Amino acid sequence: MTIPENFSFDQNCSKFFTYQDFFECSDTFKKVECSNLPRQVDTIKAIAALAVNIMDKVVEEFGNLQLTYGFCSPELSKVIPKNIYPKLDQHAGHEIKKNGMHICERLGFASDFIVPDVSSLVVARYIVSNLEFDRLYFYDENSPIHVSLTDSPVRSIVLMNMHGDRRVPQVVSEAKFLTDL
């Protein structure tokens, strides 16, 4: 089902966030003028679920966070230079391609964020220890965390390790992530 035309994207989707916060946070969006609004009601629901169940809880625990990448429409994905994977990364939410299939079959929604002056490892371990999530991508202690939520979360933790000039994903167990990094 598509979003009604009179829907206000500047309304709150959670205690600390508006829907628009998730549309306007990426560096590319700030540099390039393009449409970056969802069309599917289920995307709006997924954004609200992530905001309420993860983002708000992180703010309550650590203070303000900075969203670095949220929703990614097909229009925005065309102008992002590299290192995105719309089929896998869940930033498209429940949006549908022209052929009627979902852009990302994992559904749910993902956002990347950083908490200023707090190690991303500390924040990521808090999420893993206390919150439901689908996938969490951890880059390093000073980089944004990628986290997603779906109706059926798999709790996958992926280390994005540097090998030469590229990142290589490594899935790790919760126990390893909480104790061995």
Side-chain angles (χ1 to χ4, degrees), residues 89-140:
D89 67 18
Q90 296 170 288
H91 288 284
H94 292 249
E95 297 303 290
I96 298 172
K97 298 183 281 189
K98 290 179 183 177
N99 66 5
M101 302 296 291
H102 286 102
I103 292 169
C104 178
E105 294 297 325
R106 291 177 174 171
L107 302 176
F109 183 68
S111 190
D112 299 8
F113 70 96
I114 194 161
V115 178
D117 302 319
V118 179
S119 163
S120 290
L121 181 59
V122 170
V123 177
R125 284 180 169 165
Y126 166 79
I127 293 168
V128 170
S129 296
N130 297 287
L131 306 176
E132 278 300 320
F133 65 94
D134 188 47
R135 287 172 172 77
L136 185 143
Y137 296 173
F138 179 78
Y139 294 84
D140 60 60

Side-chain angles (χ1 to χ4, degrees), residues 158-178:
V158 182
L159 303 181
M160 300 300 288
N161 299 314
M162 286 300 296
H163 288 284
D165 61 347
R166 57 182 283 228
R167 295 217 180 250
V168 177
Q170 175 190 4
V171 176
V172 297
S173 69
E174 288 186 30
K176 180 175 179 67
F177 185 73
L178 294 173

Side-chain angles (χ1 to χ4, degrees), residues 61-95:
E61 183 69 17
F62 298 103
N64 287 335
L65 62 79
Q66 177 186 353
L67 294 171
T68 59
Y69 185 38
F71 178 71
C72 185
S73 67
E75 295 82 3
L76 182 62
S77 72
K78 289 176 187 170
V79 296
I80 295 176
K82 61 180 180 170
N83 297 328
I84 65 165
Y85 302 97
K87 290 181 180 181
L88 297 177
D89 67 18
Q90 296 170 288
H91 288 284
H94 292 249
E95 297 303 290

Side-chain angles (χ1 to χ4, degrees), residues 26-33:
S26 77
D27 287 341
T28 302
F29 178 82
K30 292 173 185 174
K31 293 176 191 171
V32 178
E33 289 188 32

Side-chain angles (χ1 to χ4, degrees), residues 19 41-51 93-94 107-110 149-150:
Y19 291 101
V41 168
D42 286 341
T43 298
I44 291 297
K45 291 177 184 176
I47 291 169
L50 181 78
H94 292 249
L107 302 176
F109 183 68
L149 185 63
T150 64

